[in-house]
Amino acid sequence: MKKCVFAGTFDPPTVGHEDVVKKCLRLFDEVVVAILVNPQKIALFTVEERLTLLNKLFAGEPRVRVRTFGGAAVDLLKEEDTPFYVRGVRDAIDFEYENRNHYASKRLMDDIITIYLPCEQSHQYVSSTLVRNSIKFKKNYADLIPAAICADVSAMLEDKDV
């Protein structure tokens, strides 16, 4: 059975994240979507909220497992017993950033296999940062997040001071 890990902060999950997971399902038997918990980042959504959103988004797909992780990506890969680390890339800047991370990770885990999946052209500008900024400035963000969780995101925002 081939398994991959797709990790990120997912604050919040976007249509781009959803697209990467759907592409992974065409390549792998199991996709581990891992919310990397970075205490240095101030997230808009709590870890529990992001878990809820991702679990709802992929509820109909038994081959997707959502979890959290607080360490280095290579430790997550070792824990999941897979060398396959998937990264979504929107442009050359993303690629260069992810490629540098790949070589840094390769120092720590020689058998890591990083797979770069280009985003759809219609998603090139989509990012969690754009969603958070749209929320902050009270702009429409509905087309940036998956329809299946749009109402949940809106409901979660009612309890926040944004």
Side-chain angles (χ1 to χ4, degrees):
M1 183 168 95
K2 293 286 185 196
K3 173 172 47 171
C4 73
V5 169
F6 174 49
T9 54
F10 305 105
D11 185 38
T14 69
V15 293
H17 297 133
E18 178 184 40
D19 185 59
V20 168
V21 173
K22 286 180 177 178
K23 287 175 180 170
C24 287
L25 287 168
R26 294 171 63 189
L27 298 167
F28 295 95
D29 301 309
E30 182 181 2
V31 180
V32 177
V33 178
I35 300 168
L36 288 178
V37 180
N38 182 345
Q40 295 175 333
K41 277 191 171 181
I42 299 172
L44 176 59
F45 295 92
T46 67
V47 173
E48 294 77 19
E49 288 171 330
R50 289 178 273 159
L51 267 171
T52 298
L53 292 169
L54 287 166
N55 278 319
K56 180 173 183 178
L57 182 58
F58 299 111
E61 182 46 74
R63 297 182 302 141
V64 174
R65 183 166 45 90
V66 181
R67 61 164 295 184
T68 61
F69 191 76
V74 293
D75 295 328
L76 172 61
L77 291 168
K78 289 174 185 174
E79 193 175 292
E80 289 294 340
D81 194 29
T82 183
F84 299 111
Y85 190 46
V86 172
R87 307 306 299 149
V89 293
R90 293 169 293 197
D91 56 24
I93 294 168
D94 279 357
F95 177 78
E96 288 176 16
Y97 172 81
E98 295 297 346
N99 213 36
R100 280 192 305 274
N101 283 343
H102 164 76
Y103 287 112
S105 294
K106 193 148 182 75
R107 262 185 65 250
L108 304 172
M109 182 180 170
D110 190 54
D111 65 337
I112 189 172
I113 299 170
T114 304
I115 299 166
Y116 304 105
L117 293 177
C119 76
E120 295 301 315
Q121 191 172 20
S122 60
H123 297 153
Q124 269 191 310
Y125 67 95
V126 176
S127 69
S128 292
T129 301
L130 177 60
V131 176
R132 289 191 308 274
N133 285 339
S134 297
I135 291 166
K136 178 181 175 182
F137 295 111
K138 311 249 186 281
K139 301 299 178 194
N140 185 8
Y141 57 85
D143 61 326
L144 305 174
I145 57 174
I149 60 170
C150 194
D152 301 274
V153 168
S154 294
M156 288 173 184
L157 288 171
E158 290 177 12
D159 297 331
K160 299 186 184 300
D161 186 27
V162 276

